[in-house]
Amino acid sequence: MATPETGEHHDHDHVDHDHGAHGHSGHSHAVPDSLRAFAIGAGLNFGFVIVEVIFGLYAGSLALLADAGHNLSDVLGLVLAWGAAWLSRRAPTRLRTYGYGRSSILAALANAMILLLGTGGIILEAISRLSQPEPVQTGIVMVVALVGVAVNMGTALMFMAGRKGDLNVRGAFIHMVADGAISLGVVAAAGVIALSGWLWLDPVVSLVIAVAIIAGTWGLLRDSVNLAMDMVPTGVDPEQVEAFLAARPGVSEVHDLHIWGLSTTSVALSAHLVRPGAALDDDFLSETCAGLKARFGIAHPVLQVEEGRMACALAPRDVV
């Protein structure tokens, strides 16, 4: 088996086929330059969590404590994403031939689960306080929440540039923006309580925060589960990919096509291409792989070329 970059030959056993080709073009194991953003974001938010807990207890505000719980879950998520981004930079090994890229998917999944679990505690406490509202020192709550707006929005800005290319960065950006909006809600609620004396508004705002967390986290949970289950990554159309491969010179059939995420930023593909009478062609493989990367962002394609003289056991769509 030959690779376009090196031309080196490796043994590859495949039942019912007399030759194959393995195309690796444009390998991409890099991750966005977000390590510093994760570190700064985690540090700022952890410091603010401590401030919120202290003043939330002092002021008797469940909304402030709920926001602190939410921010703490975000800190854990940022730390997980930070660690995953660091692991993703590690080189592959003999046993971990894809490296540690999938750790970024696991981090996104863990982040979503932590957020949802933390929300349950907020909901239970808010429900109990609805029947027994407690006094709130609204001035302290408003000042602390305004600080939260600045911290969250400042952190979100650090993730703005990379949010479209990495699920972990996107999750961090969404959570920081949501936190900023929630903190604004806490400010507004404290102002209303100060003017009206409606103590029940504090737990109600906490419930609204909980709903906002669930709504904002659901998409992250769905996407991370899909990536963990090797679903075709969002933004890649498998039908268009198959059509592109089928249109390559000499290709009469495409089968055993698989597209999955190696990480939250890297997409892989494997496929069998039937080229009757075609010889092993490094130029064909290199150009096909370059096209997959340019058109679909697939940076790790593995292509097996067959003459089609024998039936492939993996040709049926229902066979994996």
Side-chain angles (χ1 to χ4, degrees):
M1 182 175 297
T3 62
E5 301 96 330
T6 64
E8 295 177 351
H9 290 268
H10 308 277
D11 293 333
H12 178 81
D13 296 328
H14 190 279
V15 178
D16 296 332
H17 297 296
D18 57 356
H19 75 273
H22 186 174
H24 277 191
S25 177
H27 284 202
S28 175
H29 300 289
V31 296
D33 295 328
S34 54
L35 290 176
R36 180 175 297 179
F38 282 127
I40 296 173
L44 285 175
N45 280 271
F46 183 67
F48 182 62
V49 164
I50 295 175
V51 172
E52 278 193 307
V53 169
I54 293 173
F55 285 98
L57 292 172
Y58 180 77
S61 172
L62 178 60
L64 209 54
L65 291 174
D67 196 37
H70 183 200
N71 280 319
L72 179 59
S73 64
D74 278 349
V75 170
L76 294 175
L78 287 171
V79 170
L80 283 171
W82 182 13
W86 177 78
L87 281 174
S88 295
R89 293 175 178 265
R90 298 188 62 182
T93 66
R94 280 191 63 193
L95 296 180
R96 299 185 185 277
T97 55
Y98 278 133
Y100 295 81
R102 184 148 289 219
S103 63
S104 61
I105 298 175
L106 297 178
L109 180 59
N111 188 2
M113 294 177 67
I114 288 170
L115 282 167
L116 292 175
L117 288 173
T119 304
I122 296 174
I123 292 174
L124 291 176
E125 181 63 21
I127 291 174
S128 68
R129 281 211 183 186
L130 278 172
S131 58
Q132 295 181 333
E134 298 183 10
V136 176
Q137 296 189 38
T138 55
I140 293 176
V141 172
M142 293 176 70
V143 171
V144 174
L146 282 172
V147 174
V149 173
V151 169
N152 290 316
M153 291 306 183
T155 305
L157 288 175
M158 292 189 292
F159 295 112
M160 181 177 291
R163 71 188 188 281
K164 294 182 179 179
D166 188 332
L167 188 63
N168 268 326
V169 176
R170 184 184 119 202
F173 176 79
I174 291 173
H175 289 162
M176 293 302 102
V177 171
D179 283 353
I182 288 169
S183 294
L184 279 176
V186 173
V187 172
V192 173
I193 293 173
L195 294 173
S196 65
W198 296 342
L199 297 179
W200 53 265
L201 192 59
D202 185 61
V204 168
V205 169
S206 301
L207 288 173
V208 173
I209 291 174
V211 172
I213 295 171
I214 294 173
T217 304
W218 186 253
L220 179 65
L221 178 64
R222 180 196 62 231
D223 291 345
S224 56
V225 167
N226 286 340
L227 281 177
M229 295 296 291
D230 289 334
M231 184 174 173
V232 176
T234 302
V236 179
D237 187 332
E239 293 184 358
Q240 290 185 12
V241 173
E242 184 172 2
F244 168 77
L245 293 173
R248 296 294 298 147
V251 174
S252 63
E253 179 188 337
V254 178
H255 60 260
D256 197 34
L257 173 62
H258 300 279
I259 307 171
W260 71 100
L262 288 176
S263 68
T264 55
T265 59
S266 180
V267 182
L269 169 149
S270 67
H272 293 196
L273 308 181
V274 179
R275 300 185 79 209
L280 188 61
D281 187 343
D282 284 357
D283 289 336
F284 167 83
L285 291 174
S286 181
E287 291 169 5
T288 301
C289 292
L292 287 169
K293 182 178 182 181
R295 294 186 58 174
F296 307 104
I298 298 173
H300 195 116
V302 180
L303 303 174
Q304 176 164 304
V305 179
E306 304 162 1
E307 288 186 286
R309 293 188 293 107
M310 297 181 181
C312 177
L314 298 175
R317 289 186 179 272
D318 61 344
V319 175
V320 178

